[in-house]
Amino acid sequence: MKSQKLLSYTRRAITDYDMISPGDKIAIGISGGKDSLTLLYAMSKLKKFYPIPFEIEAITVDLGFKDFDTSRLKEYCESLGVNYTVCKTHIGEIVFDYRKEPNPCSLCSRMRKGAFNDCAAELGCNKIAYAHHKDDVIDSFLMSMLYEGRIHTFSPVTHLEKSGVTLIRPLIYVLEGEIRAFARANDLPVCKNPCPADGVTKRQESKDIIDELKLRVPDVKDRIFSSIEGAGIDGWSRH
């Protein structure tokens, strides 16, 4: 995927769902994964010509795992002209060593989001951009049906009344495979996920199911995504 296509997808999602208002300061979580690094690239480039002015801040929540080096992430942010902040925590130690959680993802996610939100607030951000892509939308939809028995997935824009912060997801039109190709072609500084639970989650099970379905229905992802857009799910009405 070329840069122009990435920016086109991102701009269309932002426009379709009215994700940005004048003067927004948007926090972007940089985990070191391909998704967040691609999102940062897209938002930093879009910022230069988008008709609505906005600012961005890059934040990494350091979970405290050994050998997690943020130096390349810092260099990447500097190359894009984006301010970069590392929020150091002991979340990994708490979840795996003290709590010894058999299903650690839920607790880790809550704690990570809490630390990220606190850091974003300290930096004066009123919005948070998540790097969820088209496959994530589809996977969450499938997980809701299989494990919760309901028709649901996360929204392109989510308002958190308690904190007053708004979540936006500018990559919802971009497939994971396109992001992977973009990250590889542009030599993004992708870091291996240090989490011991990586690759053994319910979300991974859903990805595997989709991959199996693709063997029978090659355009199954587009079909499911179209179903989501037309299902009347809360937050999926275009502006």
Coordinates of all heavy atoms in Angstrom, one line a residue, residues 177-236:
G177 N -3.6 -6.5 6.3 CA -2.5 -6.9 5.3 C -1.9 -5.7 4.6 O -0.7 -5.7 4.3
E178 N -2.8 -4.6 4.4 CA -2.3 -3.4 3.8 C -1.3 -2.7 4.7 O -0.3 -2.1 4.3 CB -3.4 -2.5 3.4 CG -4.3 -3.1 2.3 CD -5.5 -2.3 2.0 OE1 -6.2 -1.9 3.0 OE2 -5.8 -2.0 0.8
I179 N -1.7 -2.7 6.0 CA -0.8 -2.1 7.0 C 0.5 -2.8 7.1 O 1.6 -2.2 7.2 CB -1.5 -2.0 8.4 CG1 -2.7 -1.1 8.4 CG2 -0.5 -1.7 9.5 CD1 -3.5 -1.0 9.6
R180 N 0.5 -4.1 7.1 CA 1.7 -4.9 7.2 C 2.6 -4.6 6.0 O 3.8 -4.5 6.2 CB 1.3 -6.4 7.2 CG 2.5 -7.4 7.4 CD 2.1 -8.8 7.4 NE 1.2 -9.1 8.5 CZ -0.1 -9.4 8.4 NH1 -0.7 -9.4 7.1 NH2 -0.9 -9.6 9.4
A181 N 2.0 -4.5 4.8 CA 2.8 -4.2 3.6 C 3.4 -2.8 3.7 O 4.5 -2.6 3.3 CB 1.9 -4.4 2.4
F182 N 2.6 -1.9 4.2 CA 3.1 -0.5 4.3 C 4.2 -0.4 5.3 O 5.2 0.3 5.0 CB 1.9 0.4 4.8 CG 2.3 1.9 4.9 CD1 2.3 2.7 3.8 CD2 2.7 2.4 6.1 CE1 2.7 4.0 3.9 CE2 3.1 3.7 6.3 CZ 3.1 4.5 5.2
A183 N 4.1 -1.1 6.4 CA 5.1 -1.0 7.4 C 6.4 -1.6 6.9 O 7.5 -1.1 7.2 CB 4.7 -1.8 8.7
R184 N 6.3 -2.7 6.2 CA 7.5 -3.4 5.6 C 8.1 -2.5 4.5 O 9.4 -2.3 4.5 CB 7.1 -4.7 5.1 CG 8.3 -5.6 4.6 CD 7.8 -7.0 4.4 NE 6.6 -7.2 3.6 CZ 5.5 -7.7 4.0 NH1 5.4 -8.1 5.3 NH2 4.4 -7.8 3.2
A185 N 7.3 -1.9 3.6 CA 7.9 -1.1 2.5 C 8.5 0.2 3.0 O 9.5 0.6 2.4 CB 6.7 -0.8 1.5
N186 N 8.0 0.7 4.1 CA 8.6 2.0 4.7 C 9.5 1.8 5.8 O 9.9 2.7 6.5 CB 7.4 2.9 5.0 CG 6.6 3.4 3.8 OD1 7.0 4.4 3.2 ND2 5.6 2.7 3.5
D187 N 9.9 0.5 6.1 CA 10.8 0.2 7.1 C 10.5 0.8 8.5 O 11.3 1.4 9.1 CB 12.2 0.6 6.7 CG 13.3 0.0 7.6 OD1 13.1 -1.1 8.1 OD2 14.4 0.6 7.7
L188 N 9.2 0.7 8.9 CA 8.8 1.3 10.2 C 9.5 0.5 11.3 O 9.7 -0.7 11.2 CB 7.3 1.2 10.3 CG 6.5 2.0 9.2 CD1 5.0 2.0 9.7 CD2 7.0 3.4 9.0
P189 N 9.8 1.2 12.4 CA 10.6 0.5 13.5 C 9.7 -0.4 14.4 O 9.5 -0.1 15.6 CB 11.1 1.7 14.3 CG 10.1 2.8 14.1 CD 9.6 2.6 12.7
V190 N 9.2 -1.4 13.8 CA 8.3 -2.3 14.5 C 9.0 -3.1 15.5 O 10.1 -3.7 15.3 CB 7.6 -3.3 13.5 CG1 6.7 -4.3 14.3 CG2 6.7 -2.5 12.5
C191 N 8.5 -3.2 16.8 CA 9.1 -3.9 17.9 C 8.3 -5.2 18.1 O 7.0 -5.1 18.1 CB 9.1 -3.1 19.1 SG 9.9 -1.5 18.9
K192 N 8.9 -6.2 18.5 CA 8.2 -7.5 18.8 C 7.5 -7.3 20.1 O 8.0 -6.7 21.1 CB 9.2 -8.6 19.0 CG 8.5 -10.0 19.2 CD 9.5 -11.1 19.4 CE 8.8 -12.4 19.6 NZ 7.9 -12.5 20.7
N193 N 6.2 -7.8 20.1 CA 5.4 -7.6 21.3 C 6.0 -8.5 22.4 O 6.1 -9.7 22.3 CB 4.0 -8.1 21.0 CG 3.0 -7.8 22.1 OD1 3.4 -7.6 23.3 ND2 1.7 -7.8 21.8
P194 N 6.4 -7.9 23.6 CA 7.0 -8.6 24.7 C 6.0 -9.4 25.6 O 6.5 -10.1 26.5 CB 7.8 -7.5 25.5 CG 6.9 -6.3 25.3 CD 6.3 -6.4 23.9
C195 N 4.7 -9.2 25.3 CA 3.7 -9.8 26.2 C 3.8 -11.4 26.1 O 3.7 -11.9 25.0 CB 2.4 -9.3 25.9 SG 1.0 -10.0 26.8
P196 N 3.8 -12.1 27.2 CA 3.8 -13.5 27.2 C 2.5 -14.1 26.6 O 2.5 -15.3 26.2 CB 3.9 -13.9 28.7 CG 4.5 -12.7 29.3 CD 4.0 -11.6 28.6
A197 N 1.4 -13.4 26.6 CA 0.1 -13.9 26.1 C -0.1 -13.5 24.6 O -1.2 -13.8 24.1 CB -1.0 -13.3 27.0
D198 N 0.8 -12.9 24.0 CA 0.7 -12.5 22.6 C 0.4 -13.7 21.7 O 1.1 -14.7 21.8 CB 1.9 -11.8 22.1 CG 1.8 -11.3 20.7 OD1 0.7 -10.8 20.4 OD2 2.8 -11.4 19.9
G199 N -0.7 -13.6 20.9 CA -1.0 -14.7 19.9 C -1.8 -15.8 20.5 O -2.1 -16.8 19.8
V200 N -2.3 -15.7 21.8 CA -3.1 -16.8 22.3 C -4.4 -16.3 22.9 O -4.9 -16.8 23.9 CB -2.3 -17.6 23.4 CG1 -1.2 -18.4 22.8 CG2 -1.8 -16.6 24.5
T201 N -4.9 -15.2 22.3 CA -6.1 -14.6 22.8 C -7.4 -15.0 22.0 O -7.3 -15.6 20.9 CB -6.0 -13.0 22.6 OG1 -5.9 -12.7 21.2 CG2 -4.8 -12.5 23.4
K202 N -8.5 -14.6 22.5 CA -9.8 -14.9 21.8 C -9.8 -14.2 20.5 O -10.4 -14.7 19.5 CB -11.0 -14.5 22.7 CG -11.2 -15.3 23.9 CD -11.6 -16.7 23.6 CE -12.0 -17.5 24.8 NZ -12.3 -18.9 24.5
R203 N -9.2 -13.0 20.4 CA -9.1 -12.2 19.2 C -8.4 -13.0 18.1 O -8.8 -13.1 16.9 CB -8.5 -10.9 19.4 CG -8.5 -10.0 18.1 CD -8.0 -8.6 18.4 NE -9.0 -7.9 19.3 CZ -10.1 -7.3 18.8 NH1 -10.4 -7.4 17.5 NH2 -11.0 -6.7 19.6
Q204 N -7.3 -13.7 18.5 CA -6.5 -14.5 17.6 C -7.4 -15.7 17.1 O -7.3 -16.1 15.9 CB -5.3 -15.0 18.2 CG -4.3 -15.8 17.3 CD -3.9 -14.9 16.1 OE1 -3.5 -13.8 16.3 NE2 -4.0 -15.5 14.9
E205 N -8.2 -16.2 17.9 CA -9.1 -17.3 17.5 C -10.1 -16.8 16.4 O -10.3 -17.5 15.4 CB -9.9 -17.9 18.7 CG -9.0 -18.6 19.7 CD -9.9 -19.1 20.9 OE1 -11.1 -19.0 20.8 OE2 -9.3 -19.6 21.8
S206 N -10.6 -15.6 16.6 CA -11.5 -15.0 15.6 C -10.8 -14.8 14.3 O -11.4 -15.0 13.2 CB -12.1 -13.7 16.2 OG -12.9 -13.9 17.3
K207 N -9.5 -14.3 14.4 CA -8.7 -14.1 13.1 C -8.6 -15.5 12.4 O -8.7 -15.5 11.2 CB -7.4 -13.6 13.5 CG -7.4 -12.1 13.9 CD -6.0 -11.7 14.3 CE -5.9 -10.2 14.7 NZ -6.2 -9.3 13.6
D208 N -8.3 -16.5 13.1 CA -8.2 -17.8 12.5 C -9.4 -18.3 11.8 O -9.4 -18.9 10.7 CB -7.7 -18.9 13.6 CG -6.3 -18.6 14.1 OD1 -5.6 -17.8 13.5 OD2 -6.0 -19.1 15.2
I209 N -10.6 -18.0 12.4 CA -11.9 -18.4 11.9 C -12.1 -17.6 10.5 O -12.5 -18.2 9.5 CB -13.0 -18.1 12.8 CG1 -12.9 -19.1 14.0 CG2 -14.4 -18.2 12.2 CD1 -13.9 -18.7 15.2
I210 N -11.8 -16.3 10.6 CA -11.9 -15.5 9.3 C -11.0 -16.0 8.2 O -11.4 -16.1 7.1 CB -11.6 -14.0 9.6 CG1 -12.7 -13.4 10.6 CG2 -11.5 -13.2 8.3 CD1 -14.0 -13.3 10.0
D211 N -9.8 -16.4 8.6 CA -8.9 -16.9 7.6 C -9.4 -18.2 7.0 O -9.3 -18.5 5.8 CB -7.5 -17.2 8.2 CG -6.7 -15.9 8.5 OD1 -7.1 -14.9 7.9 OD2 -5.8 -16.0 9.4
E212 N -10.1 -19.1 7.8 CA -10.7 -20.3 7.3 C -11.8 -20.0 6.3 O -12.0 -20.6 5.3 CB -11.2 -21.2 8.4 CG -10.0 -21.8 9.2 CD -10.5 -22.6 10.4 OE1 -11.7 -23.0 10.4 OE2 -9.7 -22.9 11.3
L213 N -12.7 -19.0 6.7 CA -13.8 -18.6 5.9 C -13.3 -18.0 4.5 O -14.0 -18.2 3.5 CB -14.6 -17.5 6.6 CG -15.5 -18.0 7.8 CD1 -16.1 -16.8 8.5 CD2 -16.5 -19.0 7.3
K214 N -12.2 -17.3 4.5 CA -11.7 -16.7 3.3 C -11.4 -17.8 2.2 O -11.4 -17.5 1.0 CB -10.4 -15.9 3.6 CG -10.6 -14.5 4.0 CD -9.3 -13.7 4.0 CE -8.8 -13.5 2.6 NZ -7.6 -12.7 2.5
L215 N -11.0 -19.0 2.7 CA -10.8 -20.1 1.7 C -12.0 -20.5 0.9 O -11.9 -20.9 -0.2 CB -10.2 -21.3 2.5 CG -8.9 -21.1 3.2 CD1 -8.6 -22.4 4.0 CD2 -7.8 -20.8 2.3
R216 N -13.2 -20.3 1.6 CA -14.4 -20.6 0.9 C -15.1 -19.3 0.3 O -15.7 -19.4 -0.8 CB -15.4 -21.2 1.9 CG -15.0 -22.5 2.6 CD -15.9 -22.9 3.7 NE -15.4 -24.1 4.3 CZ -15.8 -25.4 4.0 NH1 -16.7 -25.5 3.0 NH2 -15.4 -26.4 4.6
V217 N -15.0 -18.2 0.9 CA -15.5 -16.9 0.4 C -14.4 -15.9 0.4 O -14.2 -15.2 1.4 CB -16.7 -16.5 1.3 CG1 -17.4 -15.3 0.7 CG2 -17.7 -17.6 1.6
P218 N -13.7 -15.7 -0.7 CA -12.6 -14.8 -0.8 C -12.8 -13.4 -0.3 O -12.0 -12.8 0.3 CB -12.2 -14.9 -2.3 CG -12.7 -16.2 -2.7 CD -14.0 -16.4 -2.0
D219 N -14.0 -12.9 -0.6 CA -14.3 -11.5 -0.2 C -15.1 -11.4 1.1 O -15.9 -10.4 1.3 CB -15.1 -10.8 -1.3 CG -16.4 -11.4 -1.6 OD1 -16.7 -12.5 -1.2 OD2 -17.2 -10.7 -2.3
V220 N -15.0 -12.4 2.0 CA -15.8 -12.4 3.2 C -15.6 -11.2 4.1 O -16.5 -10.7 4.7 CB -15.4 -13.7 4.0 CG1 -14.0 -13.7 4.5 CG2 -16.4 -13.9 5.2
K221 N -14.4 -10.6 4.1 CA -14.1 -9.5 5.0 C -14.9 -8.3 4.5 O -15.6 -7.6 5.3 CB -12.6 -9.1 5.0 CG -11.8 -10.1 5.7 CD -10.3 -9.7 5.8 CE -9.5 -10.7 6.5 NZ -8.1 -10.3 6.6
D222 N -15.0 -8.0 3.2 CA -15.8 -6.9 2.7 C -17.2 -7.2 2.9 O -18.0 -6.2 3.2 CB -15.5 -6.8 1.2 CG -14.1 -6.2 0.8 OD1 -13.6 -5.5 1.7 OD2 -13.6 -6.5 -0.3
R223 N -17.7 -8.4 2.8 CA -19.1 -8.7 3.0 C -19.5 -8.5 4.5 O -20.5 -7.9 4.8 CB -19.4 -10.2 2.7 CG -19.4 -10.4 1.2 CD -19.6 -11.9 0.9 NE -19.5 -12.2 -0.6 CZ -20.6 -12.2 -1.3 NH1 -21.8 -12.0 -0.8 NH2 -20.5 -12.5 -2.6
I224 N -18.6 -8.9 5.4 CA -18.9 -8.7 6.8 C -18.9 -7.2 7.2 O -19.8 -6.7 7.9 CB -17.9 -9.5 7.7 CG1 -18.1 -11.0 7.5 CG2 -18.1 -9.1 9.2 CD1 -17.1 -11.8 8.3
F225 N -17.9 -6.5 6.6 CA -17.8 -5.0 6.9 C -19.0 -4.3 6.4 O -19.6 -3.4 7.1 CB -16.5 -4.5 6.3 CG -16.2 -3.1 6.9 CD1 -15.5 -3.0 8.1 CD2 -16.5 -2.0 6.1 CE1 -15.2 -1.7 8.6 CE2 -16.2 -0.7 6.6 CZ -15.5 -0.6 7.8
S226 N -19.5 -4.7 5.2 CA -20.7 -4.0 4.7 C -21.9 -4.3 5.5 O -22.8 -3.5 5.7 CB -20.9 -4.5 3.2 OG -19.9 -4.1 2.4
S227 N -21.9 -5.5 6.1 CA -23.0 -5.9 7.0 C -23.0 -5.0 8.2 O -24.1 -4.6 8.7 CB -22.9 -7.4 7.4 OG -23.1 -8.2 6.2
I228 N -21.8 -4.8 8.7 CA -21.7 -3.9 9.9 C -22.2 -2.5 9.6 O -22.9 -1.9 10.4 CB -20.2 -3.9 10.4 CG1 -19.8 -5.3 10.9 CG2 -20.0 -2.8 11.5 CD1 -18.3 -5.4 11.1
E229 N -21.8 -2.0 8.5 CA -22.2 -0.6 8.1 C -23.7 -0.5 8.0 O -24.3 0.6 8.2 CB -21.5 -0.2 6.8 CG -20.0 0.0 7.0 CD -19.3 0.5 5.7 OE1 -19.5 -0.2 4.7 OE2 -18.7 1.5 5.7
G230 N -24.4 -1.6 7.5 CA -25.8 -1.5 7.3 C -26.7 -2.1 8.4 O -27.9 -2.2 8.2
A231 N -26.0 -2.5 9.5 CA -26.8 -3.2 10.5 C -27.4 -2.3 11.6 O -28.1 -2.8 12.5 CB -25.9 -4.2 11.2
G232 N -27.2 -1.0 11.5 CA -27.7 -0.1 12.5 C -27.1 -0.2 13.8 O -27.7 0.2 14.8
I233 N -25.8 -0.6 13.8 CA -25.1 -0.7 15.1 C -24.8 0.7 15.6 O -24.4 1.6 14.8 CB -23.8 -1.5 14.9 CG1 -24.1 -2.9 14.5 CG2 -22.9 -1.5 16.2 CD1 -22.9 -3.8 14.2
D234 N -24.9 1.0 16.9 CA -24.7 2.3 17.4 C -23.3 2.9 17.0 O -22.3 2.2 17.2 CB -24.8 2.2 19.0 CG -24.7 3.6 19.6 OD1 -25.4 4.5 19.1 OD2 -24.0 3.7 20.6
G235 N -23.4 4.1 16.5 CA -22.1 4.8 16.2 C -21.7 4.6 14.7 O -20.7 5.2 14.3
W236 N -22.4 3.8 14.0 CA -22.0 3.5 12.6 C -22.8 4.3 11.5 O -22.9 3.8 10.4 CB -22.0 2.0 12.3 CG -20.8 1.3 12.9 CD1 -20.6 0.9 14.2 CD2 -19.5 1.2 12.2 NE1 -19.4 0.4 14.3 CE2 -18.7 0.5 13.2 CE3 -19.0 1.5 11.0 CZ2 -17.3 0.2 12.8 CZ3 -17.7 1.1 10.6 CH2 -16.9 0.5 11.6

